[in-house]
Amino acid sequence: MSSKLMQCDACSMWEVKDTAGASGCYKCEKCIQVQLLKDRVGELEKQVDDLRFIRETESFLDKSFSKIVTPKALEERRWVTVRKGGKHGMQRSPGVVPLVNRFTHVEAAGTEDGISLSGGLACKTKRAVEPKPKRPKSGNAIVVGDSIVRGTDRGFCGNRRDSRMVCCLPGARIQDVTDRVQTILKGEGEQPEVVVHVGTNDVGKKEMNFLQRDFRELGKMLKSRTSRVVISGLLPVPRAGESRNREIRDLNVWLRNWCRGQGFRFLDHWDLFWSKGELYKRDGLHLNRWGTSILAGRFATATRMVLN
């Protein structure tokens, strides 16, 4: 078996190599090992980022829950301790349910406005509407998306509903959000933080180049209104086949690169939801309560990072 002096294309070092295993492009064993280590480090860094997001999400949810369940509410629960051998465990003392007439104020408003609650309508039919709280002029954050974002307001807004909002558009496609984004952001003050999650209803119905065109139009519309934009990556669809999930992942790869060029932040959820059927409802498309909480926490964390 003959040997040949080969030069590594990566480090330019010379090495004696058997001609049987030689080829046009050659890499020495050390360079191959270094490349494998670099790939592994990249994977570990990505896992660390995902774990950091999960930790921040859990911390955010814990804080929100602690604000809802106050110590005072816990003290109001009176428990009866049963001695050993009793048939029943701990029993809660019966509470008192207040009985009130919810329609008292409606009847009063109806009488003043000329509305007859007994069946007929008077000439004047003025409707009593509670004034909406004014939105701040700056520092507002809003999530806009399709039915996937339904229910995220509890974790995203928390006790800051005066400055945060979730706009859910069931069945919406990219073009639908583009057409409505100016109306949705009207009254949100200067430089609002906008998180957009859309595209699930477009994949499989349009080719990739048309999806990219629609996102570019959406990006132009968002840029004309604010510079604080977060594009939320599409989630895996458990009920879909391998082909559609591959299209979703390819679109996410393109979105990541496109967002970098536009100055937007891209929020990748793929590894958190891939092969996690326990985070989805039975329809295999929408998230259940736990999956929704995780997504809402990531939205909240992303807006804080954009603000900083």
Side-chain angles (χ1 to χ4, degrees):
M1 182 178 296
S2 59
S3 300
K4 183 179 179 182
L5 192 62
M6 304 289 294
Q7 185 179 20
C8 177
D9 295 335
C11 64
S12 301
M13 297 294 292
W14 294 90
E15 186 179 11
V16 177
K17 191 71 176 178
D18 296 335
T19 55
S23 60
C25 297
Y26 172 71
K27 271 191 178 183
C28 63
E29 293 295 331
K30 292 182 179 179
C31 291
I32 293 174
Q33 294 297 327
V34 170
Q35 186 61 44
L36 291 175
L37 288 174
K38 287 182 178 179
D39 295 340
R40 182 55 180 165
V41 169
E43 294 175 359
L44 292 175
E45 288 178 347
K46 192 173 186 303
Q47 292 178 9
V48 169
D49 291 338
D50 292 339
L51 291 173
R52 185 179 294 112
F53 265 115
I54 294 174
R55 184 180 62 183
E56 292 176 354
T57 301
E58 292 177 346
S59 176
F60 174 79
L61 294 175
D62 291 340
K63 290 180 180 179
S64 301
F65 181 77
S66 62
K67 292 179 181 179
I68 296 173
V69 183
T70 61
K72 183 179 179 181
L74 294 175
E75 290 175 1
E76 292 177 354
R77 298 182 178 181
R78 294 179 296 172
W79 299 89
V80 179
T81 304
V82 180
R83 296 178 180 275
K84 185 178 180 181
K87 293 183 179 180
H88 303 284
M90 294 194 300
Q91 300 177 352
R92 296 184 63 177
S93 59
V96 179
V97 181
L99 300 177
V100 294
N101 184 4
R102 295 183 299 165
F103 301 98
T104 302
H105 300 290
V106 178
E107 292 174 358
T111 304
E112 293 175 1
D113 296 336
I115 303 175
S116 173
L117 298 178
S118 59
L121 289 178
C123 296
K124 191 178 179 181
T125 58
K126 184 179 178 181
R127 211 177 148 193
V129 180
E130 295 183 1
K132 295 182 179 179
K134 292 184 179 180
R135 305 279 286 175
K137 293 184 179 180
S138 61
N140 292 335
I142 180 172
V143 174
V144 183
D146 49 29
S147 57
I148 301 298
V149 305
R150 183 188 288 122
T152 57
D153 56 315
R154 180 177 300 177
F156 175 73
C157 301
N159 59 351
R160 300 175 58 188
R161 293 184 178 272
D162 59 331
S163 61
R164 294 197 170 200
M165 182 175 68
V166 173
C167 181
C168 176
L169 305 173
R173 299 187 181 182
I174 305 170
Q175 190 62 46
D176 297 325
V177 176
T178 304
D179 295 339
R180 301 183 187 182
V181 69
Q182 289 290 354
T183 304
I184 294 172
L185 297 181
K186 186 178 181 180
E188 292 302 317
E190 300 177 359
Q191 293 294 317
E193 304 167 42
V194 184
V195 181
V196 179
H197 184 98
V198 69
T200 303
N201 298 314
D202 296 83
V203 176
K205 300 175 183 177
K206 287 186 177 182
E207 295 181 0
M208 181 63 71
N209 57 334
F210 290 106
L211 296 177
Q212 296 174 2
R213 180 200 62 187
D214 291 346
F215 270 109
R216 290 191 184 100
E217 293 178 357
L218 176 59
K220 291 180 182 178
M221 191 65 67
L222 291 170
K223 267 192 171 182
S224 66
R225 182 63 177 81
T226 180
S227 61
R228 297 175 176 176
V229 178
V230 178
I231 300 297
S232 175
L234 304 188
L235 305 182
V237 180
R239 76 177 186 187
E242 182 180 352
S243 176
R244 184 180 177 185
N245 278 308
R246 188 185 302 112
E247 291 181 17
I248 294 175
R249 191 155 195 176
D250 291 342
L251 180 59
N252 282 340
V253 172
W254 179 85
L255 283 174
R256 179 189 294 275
N257 297 327
W258 175 72
C259 287
R260 188 181 297 112
Q262 297 296 315
F264 299 157
R265 175 174 171 79
F266 179 73
L267 194 58
D268 188 6
H269 319 283
W270 190 269
D271 291 339
L272 286 177
F273 290 90
W274 177 251
S275 299
K276 300 290 179 58
E278 64 274 14
L279 300 180
Y280 290 81
K281 294 182 178 179
R282 292 184 179 180
D283 61 2
L285 174 63
H286 298 95
L287 299 175
N288 57 22
R289 183 176 299 180
W290 178 237
T292 301
S293 299
I294 294 177
L295 187 63
R298 289 178 63 80
F299 287 162
T301 303
T303 52
R304 286 198 299 270
M305 295 179 69
V306 169
L307 182 61
N308 294 333

